[in-house]
Amino acid sequence: MTLDEIYESFIWDASYTDEEYESKIAVGINEAKKYKYIYPFIQPIIPEKSKCIWEPCAKVIALKSDEELKPYLYLLFEWLQDLNWPGAYVIFDRLLKMPFVLLEDALNHSKIQAEKGKDGLWLMALEDFSKQINL
């Protein structure tokens, strides 16, 4: 299955029942697991459809190992800029499962970026993340 076909399998359509849609997503996620690199699944931009595929893309990312995620941590923390974005909580929860030593630099960098950009929502999400990881 090509990347375009995977993206298509993640797009909801009113003609699908919930079961059909969940089945389509499961097939897409199964195919996406075969991809070595996760970059194409980090908030992909698809004209007029982007955000509707972010939740399944986040689920693909969540299946990857800590080592596979490590090069993408800065981008994954950017996904937390707005916790209302589809997939944000999937990424949040996956990052919580990683050892803090792997996350520390990317988390601190993200906090600095959020402060520089006066991005209050992102700062709140990062602070919430920090509180939870220290449990």
Side-chain angles (χ1 to χ4, degrees):
M1 192 176 241
T2 68
L3 189 56
D4 288 343
E5 290 169 329
I6 290 170
Y7 289 159
E8 288 296 320
S9 75
F10 292 163
I11 296 172
W12 179 83
D13 184 300
S15 67
Y16 301 126
T17 65
D18 287 343
E19 295 82 25
E20 289 170 329
Y21 181 55
E22 290 301 318
S23 176
K24 271 185 61 163
I25 287 176
V27 169
I29 289 173
N30 247 356
E31 289 296 317
K33 287 191 304 190
K34 298 174 186 174
Y35 280 68
K36 180 177 179 180
Y37 302 107
I38 66 166
Y39 187 78
F41 301 102
I42 300 175
Q43 294 180 312
I45 304 299
I46 307 219
E48 301 173 15
K49 302 284 186 183
S50 293
K51 286 188 179 177
C52 77
I53 69 167
W54 286 3
E55 186 86 16
C57 285
K59 290 177 181 179
V60 170
I61 292 167
L63 295 171
K64 298 297 183 178
S65 71
D66 293 351
E67 279 303 308
E68 290 171 304
L69 295 180
K70 199 170 147 183
Y72 304 97
L73 291 175
Y74 293 99
L75 295 171
L76 296 178
F77 275 111
E78 285 181 9
W79 204 321
L80 307 184
Q81 284 178 314
D82 187 337
L83 293 178
N84 289 314
W85 285 341
Y89 279 104
V90 174
I91 298 300
F92 189 101
D93 291 341
R94 176 60 183 92
L95 291 173
L96 282 175
K97 294 176 182 165
M98 294 179 72
F100 182 70
V101 68
L102 291 179
L103 301 172
E104 189 172 14
D105 288 342
L107 177 59
N108 289 334
H109 172 80
S110 297
K111 286 179 181 179
I112 290 167
Q113 294 306 309
E115 287 170 2
K116 281 182 182 177
K118 297 180 178 21
D119 191 333
L121 281 176
W122 193 16
L123 273 172
M124 284 187 343
L126 295 171
E127 288 305 319
D128 185 36
F129 182 86
S130 295
K131 288 176 189 172
Q132 289 195 40
I133 203 154
N134 290 325
L135 294 177

